Amino acid sequence: MMRKLLATAALGALLLAGAPASAQEETPLPHLGWSFDGIFGTYDRAAAQRGFQIYNEVCSNCHSLDLLTYGDLTDLGFTLDQVKAIAAAKQVPDTDDSGQPIQRPALPSDHFVAPFPNVKAARAANNGALPPDLSLMVKAREGGPDYVHGILTGYVNAPSGFHLGDGMNYNEYFPGHQIAMPQPLSDNSVTFADGTPPLLDEEARDVVTFLAWAAEPRLEERHRTGLKAVLFLIAMTGVLYGAKRRVWSDVEH
C-alpha cells in the first residue's frame, strides 16, 4: 500500500511538468484509438467503471477529483444504491443542528472527497510535492489519452549509456525520459470487480477512459446534439433548395 501511495503521489504533477532534456530522441507516442474518439465517440461504460475502481483504490490516495460529485457516477452505469455506498465510505465536514462542526458520511450530492484537508497537508505527505486534481488531466497535455496511457505503461529499463539521475525512473514517453514518479500501475494492481484480467495495459486503458469521462462527462450529449443539428441543416438545405427552384422556375425557363 505504501508503494502505491508513493507511486501515485506525483502522477498529475509529473504529467503536467517537463523533465530535464536528454540527448536521446523522443519516442513517438502511439495513437491507440479510443471508443470516445470522433464525432460518434461514446464512452465504454464497463471500462470506465473499472477505471473508477483503479482511481478509487489507487489514485484517490493522493489525487482529488474536485469537479465531480458521487452522483455523477450514475452516468457510468452505477446504480443509485451503489453510488450511495461509494459515497458513504467517505467522510465530509458538516455542522450539526447546533452549528457545531461534525464529520458525516458523504452523500451522492457531495463532491469527491479530497485525500488531504489542505495544501500543506498534501505537501507534507508527499515530500513537498503537491498532487494536483485529476478532473481535467486527460486534457492537460498534447496527446491527451494517448499521452496518459503512454506514461502509465512506458516504464522500462534505461538503455545502455543513458545517465539516469538519482531517484529518477526511465519512461519511454516522458519528455527527457526521466521521471521522478515510480511506476504507479503494474499487472494485478487491482482485482477488477467484473473479473477482467488486471494486466497493465488494460488497467491503463481503463483509468484513461474514466479520466476522459471525468474531463468531459457531457461528450456524448454534445455529439448527439451536433448530429441532430447537422441532420436538421441537411434537411433544411433540401427544403430551401426546393423552394428556390419553385419560386424561380418561371425565370429559369
Side-chain angles (χ1 to χ4, degrees):
M1 176 60 72
M2 181 58 68
R3 183 182 68 83
K4 289 183 179 179
L5 289 174
L6 293 174
T8 58
L11 172 59
L14 292 167
L15 291 175
L16 287 169
S22 167
Q24 184 164 332
E25 293 182 1
E26 300 295 334
T27 304
L29 189 68
H31 177 61
L32 302 179
W34 301 91
S35 66
F36 46 85
D37 283 342
I39 61 173
F40 300 109
T42 60
Y43 292 117
D44 181 334
R45 293 302 194 273
Q49 286 190 20
R50 293 192 299 269
F52 166 72
Q53 182 183 342
I54 294 172
Y55 168 79
N56 197 42
E57 294 183 13
V58 181
C59 308
S60 68
N61 290 307
C62 295
H63 295 280
S64 58
L65 275 175
D66 290 341
L67 299 184
L68 294 181
T69 68
Y70 291 105
D72 290 329
L73 292 174
T74 58
D75 185 53
L76 291 184
F78 289 103
T79 67
L80 183 57
D81 286 340
Q82 288 175 317
V83 170
K84 288 180 178 178
I86 291 169
K90 305 291 185 179
Q91 295 287 309
V92 297
D94 205 344
T95 55
D96 60 19
D97 292 339
S98 63
Q100 296 301 309
I102 61 170
Q103 293 285 321
R104 62 163 175 80
L107 300 171
S109 57
D110 287 312
H111 282 262
F112 274 49
V113 175
F116 303 105
N118 52 59
V119 170
K120 288 184 178 180
R123 289 189 182 279
N126 293 282
N127 297 321
L130 178 62
D133 183 80
L134 296 183
S135 300
L136 300 175
M137 185 54 60
V138 166
K139 293 184 175 296
R141 286 296 299 265
E142 183 179 355
D146 293 327
Y147 178 81
V148 177
H149 179 275
I151 293 299
L152 294 174
T153 60
Y155 289 85
V156 295
N157 292 328
S160 177
F162 184 91
H163 177 70
L164 199 61
D166 293 340
M168 303 297 284
N169 303 276
Y170 188 86
N171 189 292
E172 288 186 279
Y173 302 110
F174 192 73
H177 301 296
Q178 300 201 54
I179 185 170
M181 177 180 67
Q183 185 170 351
L185 298 176
S186 59
D187 292 346
N188 303 308
S189 292
V190 299
T191 300
F192 285 129
D194 64 1
T196 298
L199 302 178
L200 173 59
D201 182 70
E202 183 66 43
E203 293 169 355
R205 286 174 180 267
D206 291 345
V207 76
V208 167
T209 298
F210 170 69
L211 291 177
W213 169 82
E216 195 171 5
R218 299 293 175 260
L219 176 138
E220 294 165 324
E221 179 182 339
R222 179 169 57 80
H223 285 179
R224 288 192 296 268
T225 300
L227 180 59
K228 290 177 182 178
V230 170
L231 293 175
F232 171 79
L233 291 173
I234 291 173
M236 183 57 67
T237 298
V239 170
L240 293 175
Y241 179 74
K244 178 261 184 187
R245 291 291 302 272
R246 183 168 183 176
V247 169
W248 292 91
S249 60
D250 292 341
V251 176
E252 291 176 351
H253 293 86

